[in-house]
Every structure is written in C-alpha cells, then in structure tokens.
Amino acid sequence: MSTATDLVDPTLVLLTVEEAARRLSVGRTTCFALIRSGALESLTVGSLRRVPADAPAAYLARRRAEQYTA
C-alpha cells in the first residue's frame, strides 16, 4: 500500500496506476482510460501495469500546451 510520501518520492522510477491517478488527481478508472487511449504512457512489467514516474507530468505539459495553442 502506498503512503503520502509516495506522491513526492523522487526515487520512484515506476508508479502503480493508482499512484499515477493520485498524482493527476483523477480516479483509477480515468487513469486506465488515459492509458488505453495512449495519452498517458505506461508499460507492462510481467503482468503488472506501471506508469513511468515522469509520465504524469509529461501528460499535463502536453495538455497545457494543447490548451494554450487552441
């Protein structure tokens, strides 16, 4: 189980979907939808789905850029 320190732990390389969802302030289902659509990068490690620690920030940066260019 994750703790609040996981939200800012710079040593994490991969996040669970739940941890990524918390970083984005969205629900688990929404996070999985972002992954399925390709908007949020993820990879499979064995049978586990993991999100690179920098992927939530990259997703937000893309969304902000899209919003400012629209």
Side-chain angles (χ1 to χ4, degrees):
M1 185 155 170
S2 300
T3 64
T5 58
D6 291 339
L7 296 175
V8 295
D9 185 351
T11 63
L12 290 177
V13 176
L14 296 174
L15 307 171
T16 65
V17 173
E18 290 79 8
E19 290 166 341
R22 273 197 301 276
R23 288 192 180 189
L24 292 170
S25 298
V26 299
R28 181 178 177 269
T29 303
T30 300
C31 195
F32 271 111
L34 291 170
I35 290 168
R36 267 192 309 280
S37 72
L40 181 62
E41 180 187 359
S42 73
L43 53 113
T44 305
V45 179
S47 63
L48 305 172
R49 176 65 52 186
R50 294 293 183 252
V51 177
D54 61 344
Y59 166 74
L60 290 175
R62 282 192 309 276
R63 288 297 311 262
R64 291 177 82 181
E66 290 169 4
Q67 193 169 7
Y68 289 119
T69 60

